[in-house]
């Protein structure tokens, strides 16, 4: 979609300015400066703005409009560290254009997403300067890349009674064939560590005739947790799962890409039992899973060492479905270990903050968004009930009651968190055009109606 060239040039300049601020939340660098720049952009675009301190970086809020419908836009201005810098083709904090792409740290994640929406907003306002007939709250945080440690608390204190209809999530995807993907949900996360110690120090392995071995114990404990089909064997694990709505099921009946493509791209070739070309997409969307992230202990050096190690550690993560609470799952895991004789294995919860969510894809705004994405990108949009990955979306979905709507320009070769992060200029333009159309369509279709019933 063509947008006016001066508007595209201004958006590219905004993006270059933001990329030039190395707002790396891991190091706490440049966050205040970047928050100021984001606030200035929102203010310039007609928003009432504020900043609030976070644990690490400030929150920026922009508000405008009034009406029975509330749209929340969520973005973040912090980025991942740029290291190793020498592997980048061009310096990471200078936006550079090559072969129809814009490169730089944050070009996609999430500064490019933010800027494309803001440019779309400007385009919309140039054609519709009248008061906005819905409420728009734009929240831009600076701690996303370190797990949003203060987001939930901030939303609760700054917006204690706010209800919202739609939450336009910080990103959306574009697949390798140029089809926009609307994400309607995310999985939750539980990350834990299992520690086992059986002696004061490593022992001569001859004593394995009488003493148990911590790595054996951990191996047995871990193997009791899952079967070869990936089904998790902890009692009660599946009890609280919210079953997919019929429409969400329907959306996954045919996968939008063949399993072979994913296998070719990743080199992954050992499928779980029961996963095949017809079922894999449903699994990615709806099934929880348990990963062994790392198994450590004992001797791993060259050659042999006949030793009986005294300790070992295993790190696990669960991707959880909506309805499963990570804290509850950790309790069930503890009970499982105790039950089968592993009471001595210490369970440490590393992350139990992110709950899975899945919104109703039949929400009117989602249908409008899908049609407009098709118009902008020239390809039918894919509505995906849930990402296979996770995002801290539950404060927006549970507390605000908003329907999640993840549409954006993060293409599948965007190299997020890696070197040569990039967006495709044509898709940047498409997203600006889409954003403008979407703001306008919401004004026309939902701005004057009473809000849709909130959903989970
Ligand atoms: Zn990121």
């Amino acid at each position: 979609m063509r947008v006016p060239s001066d508007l595209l040039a201004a958006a590219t300049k905004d993006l270059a300015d933001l990329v030039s601020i190395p707002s790396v939340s891991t190091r706490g660098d440049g966050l205040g400066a970047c928050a100021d720049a984001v606030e200035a952009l929102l203010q310039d675009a007609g928003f009432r703005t504020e900043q609030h301190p976070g644990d690490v970086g400030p929150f920026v809020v922009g508000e405008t409009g009034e009406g029975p419908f509330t749209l929340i836009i969520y973005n973040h201005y912090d980025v991942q560290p740029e290291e190793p810098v020498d592997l980048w083709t061009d310096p990471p904090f200078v936006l550079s254009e090559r072969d129809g792409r814009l490169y730089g740290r944050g070009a996609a994640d999430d500064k490019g997403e933010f800027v494309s929406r803001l440019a779309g907003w400007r385009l919309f306002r140039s054609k519709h300067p009248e008061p906005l007939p819905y409420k728009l709250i734009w929240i831009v945080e600076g701690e996303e890349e370190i797990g949003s440690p203060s987001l939930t608390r901030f939303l609760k204190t700054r917006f204690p009674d706010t209800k919202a209809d739609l939450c336009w999530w910080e990103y959306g995807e574009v697949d390798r064939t140029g089809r926009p993907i609307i994400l309607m949900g995310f999985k939750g996360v539980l990350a834990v560590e299992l520690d086992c110690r059986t002696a004061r120090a490593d022992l001569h392995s001859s004593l394995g005739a009488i003493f148990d071995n911590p790595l054996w114990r951990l191996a047995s404990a871990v193997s009791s947790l899952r079967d070869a089909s990936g089904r998790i064997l902890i009692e009660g694990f599946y009890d609280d799962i919210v079953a997919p709505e019929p429409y969400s099921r329907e959306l996954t009946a045919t996968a939008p890409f063949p399993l072979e493509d994913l296998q070719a791209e990743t080199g992954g070739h050992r499928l779980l039992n029961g996963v095949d070309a017809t079922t894999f997409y449903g699994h990615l969307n709806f099934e929880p899973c348990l990963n062994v992230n790392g198994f450590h202990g004992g001797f791993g050096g060259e050659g042999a060492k006949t030793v009986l190690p005294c300790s070992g550690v295993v790190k696990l993560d669960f991707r959880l479905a909506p309805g499963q609470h990570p804290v509850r799952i950790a309790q069930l895991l503890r009970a499982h270990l105790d039950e089968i004789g592993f009471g001595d294995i210490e369970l440490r919860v590393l992350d139990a903050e992110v709950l899975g969510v899945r919104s109703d894809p039949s929400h009117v705004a989602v249908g409008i968004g899908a049609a407009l994405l098709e118009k902008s990108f020239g390809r039918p949009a894919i509505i995906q009930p849930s990402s296979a990955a996770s995002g801290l979306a539950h404060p927006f979905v549970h507390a605000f009651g908003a329907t999640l709507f993840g549409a954006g320009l993060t293409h599948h070769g965007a190299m997020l968190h890696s070197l040569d992060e990039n967006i495709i200029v044509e898709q940047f333009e498409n997203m600006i055009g889409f954003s403008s159309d979407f703001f306008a369509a919401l004004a026309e279709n939902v701005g004057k109606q009473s809000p849709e019933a909130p959903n989970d």
Side-chain angles (χ1 to χ4, degrees):
M1 172 186 265
R2 303 300 305 169
V3 301
S5 57
D6 54 334
L7 190 116
L8 181 64
T12 308
K13 162 135 193 352
D14 288 345
L15 183 55
D17 289 346
L18 290 183
V19 166
S20 74
I21 306 172
S23 48
V24 179
S25 45
T26 314
R27 301 195 296 256
D29 276 1
L31 298 177
C34 204
D36 289 346
V38 165
E39 183 176 17
L41 286 171
L42 285 170
Q43 227 166 48
D44 184 60
F47 288 80
R48 300 186 303 277
T49 62
E50 353 167 326
Q51 276 195 43
H52 298 267
D55 289 353
V56 177
F59 291 89
V60 183
V61 177
E63 287 180 276
T64 190
E66 207 49 68
F69 185 90
T70 299
L71 168 65
I72 289 182
I73 305 180
Y74 166 64
N75 285 110
H76 63 90
Y77 62 80
D78 63 322
V79 296
Q80 285 279 328
E82 69 284 17
E83 289 107 350
V85 182
D86 49 337
L87 295 183
W88 285 70
T89 307
D90 289 307
F93 295 113
V94 179
L95 190 73
S96 54
E97 186 167 355
R98 265 183 289 125
D99 315 323
R101 296 185 182 205
L102 292 167
Y103 292 85
R105 173 55 89 230
D109 182 12
D110 187 44
K111 293 170 174 174
E113 295 278 13
F114 169 71
V115 168
S116 64
R117 296 168 186 190
L118 190 70
W121 168 260
R122 289 212 189 94
L123 182 57
F124 159 65
R125 290 308 266 174
S126 69
K127 294 183 259 179
H128 299 272
E130 65 276 5
L132 190 71
Y134 55 90
K135 198 172 169 61
L136 171 50
I137 306 173
W138 205 321
I139 298 166
V140 191
E141 76 152 315
E143 308 176 336
E144 196 274 343
E145 300 294 2
I146 49 168
S148 304
S150 38
L151 178 64
T152 307
R153 210 177 335 125
F154 165 71
L155 293 175
K156 228 181 250 170
T157 44
R158 173 61 184 81
F159 301 101
D161 305 310
T162 303
K163 292 290 161 206
D165 297 278
L166 200 68
C167 174
W168 189 352
W169 190 246
E170 47 127 339
Y171 75 99
E173 298 175 6
V174 182
D175 78 5
R176 289 197 190 273
T177 67
R179 290 177 298 181
I181 301 171
I182 301 173
L183 297 173
M184 296 299 306
F186 290 99
K187 290 183 182 172
V189 177
L190 169 65
V192 302
E193 182 179 304
L194 302 181
D195 291 280
C196 185
R197 175 170 277 276
T198 52
R200 195 173 60 243
D202 289 358
L203 303 173
H204 193 279
S205 76
S206 61
L207 290 171
I210 58 167
F211 290 133
D212 203 350
N213 177 315
L215 300 184
W216 273 120
R217 292 189 69 67
L218 286 169
S220 305
V222 167
S223 70
S224 75
L225 297 175
R226 206 201 74 174
D227 70 14
S229 72
R231 191 161 175 87
I232 290 142
L233 304 173
I234 299 168
E235 202 179 321
F237 180 84
Y238 290 91
D239 288 1
D240 298 330
I241 290 182
V242 178
E245 316 68 26
Y247 183 40
S248 293
R249 273 255 180 255
E250 220 175 278
L251 288 169
T252 61
T254 316
F257 56 90
L259 175 58
E260 299 91 73
D261 283 8
L262 187 58
Q263 289 178 301
E265 216 168 88
T266 57
H269 57 278
R270 287 215 50 100
L271 293 167
L272 291 166
N273 288 351
V275 173
D276 59 29
T278 56
T279 60
F280 82 98
Y281 189 60
H283 278 257
L284 285 174
N285 274 270
F286 303 128
E287 288 299 320
C289 64
L290 167 56
N291 291 293
V292 180
N293 309 127
F295 206 115
H296 303 278
F299 176 71
E302 214 178 303
K305 181 185 181 189
T306 50
V307 68
L308 170 55
C310 65
S311 66
V313 55
V314 175
K315 289 187 188 270
L316 307 173
D317 83 58
F318 294 84
R319 298 279 165 176
L320 302 172
Q324 293 184 297
H325 199 295
V327 171
R328 173 80 187 131
I329 297 299
Q331 290 164 349
L332 293 174
L333 171 59
R334 176 73 269 169
H336 172 90
L337 294 172
D338 292 346
E339 175 72 27
I340 60 170
F342 293 108
D344 60 307
I345 292 181
E346 197 189 328
L347 167 64
R348 298 210 302 140
V349 174
L350 304 175
D351 183 1
E353 299 294 326
V354 181
L355 278 65
V357 296
R358 193 176 53 242
S359 286
D360 179 4
S362 61
H363 190 287
V364 60
V366 178
I368 292 170
L372 293 176
L373 281 169
E374 176 166 357
K375 182 186 149 207
S376 275
F377 284 76
R379 306 285 314 275
I382 296 161
I383 302 176
Q384 185 173 336
S386 176
S387 168
S390 306
L392 191 67
H394 66 91
F396 298 101
V397 176
H398 293 164
F400 289 72
T403 291
L404 200 68
F405 177 74
L409 48 63
T410 300
H411 69 101
H412 285 175
M415 303 295 283
L416 301 192
H417 299 196
S418 182
L419 53 101
D420 289 352
E421 178 179 344
N422 69 89
I423 56 174
I424 296 169
V425 175
E426 191 190 338
Q427 294 175 355
F428 186 46
E429 214 173 332
N430 293 345
M431 205 54 212
I432 294 171
F434 164 77
S435 303
S436 171
D437 288 350
F438 193 54
F439 288 124
L442 289 181
E444 219 157 89
N445 289 278
V446 294
K448 289 145 202 140
Q449 295 165 7
S450 56
E452 295 288 302
N455 62 80
D456 232 21

